[in-house]
Coordinates of all heavy atoms in Angstrom, one line a residue:
N9 N -35.1 -47.7 -202.5 CA -35.4 -46.5 -203.2 C -34.8 -46.6 -204.6 O -33.6 -46.5 -204.8 CB -34.8 -45.3 -202.4 CG -34.9 -44.0 -203.2 OD1 -35.6 -43.9 -204.1 ND2 -34.1 -43.0 -202.8
K11 N -35.1 -44.6 -207.0 CA -34.8 -43.3 -207.6 C -35.4 -43.2 -209.1 O -36.4 -43.9 -209.3 CB -33.3 -43.0 -207.6 CG -32.7 -43.3 -206.2 CD -31.4 -42.7 -206.0 CE -30.7 -43.1 -204.7 NZ -29.6 -42.3 -204.3
H95 N -35.9 -36.8 -199.0 CA -34.7 -37.3 -199.4 C -33.7 -36.3 -199.8 O -34.0 -35.2 -200.3 CB -34.9 -38.3 -200.6 CG -33.7 -39.1 -200.9 ND1 -32.6 -38.7 -201.7 CD2 -33.4 -40.4 -200.6 CE1 -31.7 -39.6 -201.8 NE2 -32.1 -40.7 -201.1
E97 N -31.7 -35.9 -202.1 CA -31.7 -35.4 -203.5 C -32.9 -34.5 -203.7 O -32.7 -33.6 -204.5 CB -31.8 -36.7 -204.4 CG -30.4 -37.4 -204.4 CD -30.5 -38.9 -204.6 OE1 -31.5 -39.4 -205.1 OE2 -29.5 -39.6 -204.3
E167 N -29.7 -40.7 -193.2 CA -28.9 -40.9 -194.4 C -27.9 -39.8 -194.5 O -28.1 -38.7 -195.0 CB -29.8 -40.8 -195.7 CG -30.8 -41.9 -195.7 CD -31.3 -42.2 -197.1 OE1 -31.7 -41.3 -197.9 OE2 -31.1 -43.4 -197.5
A171 N -22.7 -40.3 -197.7 CA -22.6 -41.8 -197.8 C -23.6 -42.3 -198.9 O -23.6 -43.4 -199.3 CB -23.0 -42.5 -196.5
I172 N -24.4 -41.3 -199.5 CA -25.4 -41.8 -200.5 C -24.8 -41.9 -201.8 O -24.3 -40.9 -202.4 CB -26.6 -40.8 -200.5 CG1 -27.3 -40.8 -199.1 CG2 -27.5 -41.2 -201.6 CD1 -28.5 -39.8 -199.0
G173 N -24.8 -43.1 -202.3 CA -24.4 -43.4 -203.7 C -22.9 -43.2 -203.9 O -22.4 -43.1 -205.0
G210 N -29.4 -45.2 -194.1 CA -29.2 -45.2 -195.5 C -27.9 -44.6 -195.9 O -27.5 -43.6 -195.3
G211 N -27.3 -45.2 -196.9 CA -26.0 -44.7 -197.4 C -25.1 -45.8 -197.7 O -24.4 -46.3 -196.9
S212 N -25.1 -46.2 -199.0 CA -24.3 -47.3 -199.5 C -24.4 -48.6 -198.7 O -23.3 -49.2 -198.5 CB -22.8 -46.8 -199.6 OG -22.7 -45.7 -200.5
V213 N -25.6 -48.9 -198.3 CA -25.8 -50.3 -197.7 C -25.7 -51.3 -198.8 O -26.3 -51.2 -199.9 CB -27.1 -50.3 -197.0 CG1 -27.3 -51.7 -196.3 CG2 -27.2 -49.2 -195.8
L231 N -32.6 -48.0 -195.7 CA -33.1 -47.4 -196.9 C -32.0 -47.6 -197.9 O -30.9 -47.1 -197.7 CB -33.5 -45.9 -196.7 CG -34.1 -45.2 -197.9 CD1 -35.3 -45.9 -198.4 CD2 -34.5 -43.8 -197.5
V232 N -32.3 -48.3 -198.9 CA -31.2 -48.8 -199.9 C -31.5 -48.2 -201.3 O -32.5 -48.4 -201.8 CB -31.3 -50.4 -200.0 CG1 -30.2 -50.9 -200.8 CG2 -31.3 -51.0 -198.5
G233 N -30.5 -47.5 -201.8 CA -30.6 -47.0 -203.2 C -30.0 -48.0 -204.2 O -30.7 -49.0 -204.5
G234 N -28.8 -47.8 -204.5 CA -28.1 -48.6 -205.6 C -28.3 -50.1 -205.5 O -28.7 -50.8 -206.4
Ligands
PEP301 C1 -30.6 -43.5 -201.0 O1 -30.7 -42.9 -202.0 O2 -31.6 -43.4 -200.1 C2 -29.5 -44.3 -200.7 C3 -29.2 -44.7 -199.5 O3 -28.7 -44.6 -201.8 P1 -27.4 -45.6 -201.9 O4 -27.8 -46.9 -201.1 O5 -27.1 -45.8 -203.3 O6 -26.3 -44.9 -201.1

Side-chain angles (χ1 to χ4, degrees):
N9 172 16
K11 311 196 187 195
H95 190 279
E97 287 149 16
E167 298 206 303
I172 295 179
S212 298
V213 177
L231 182 54
V232 185

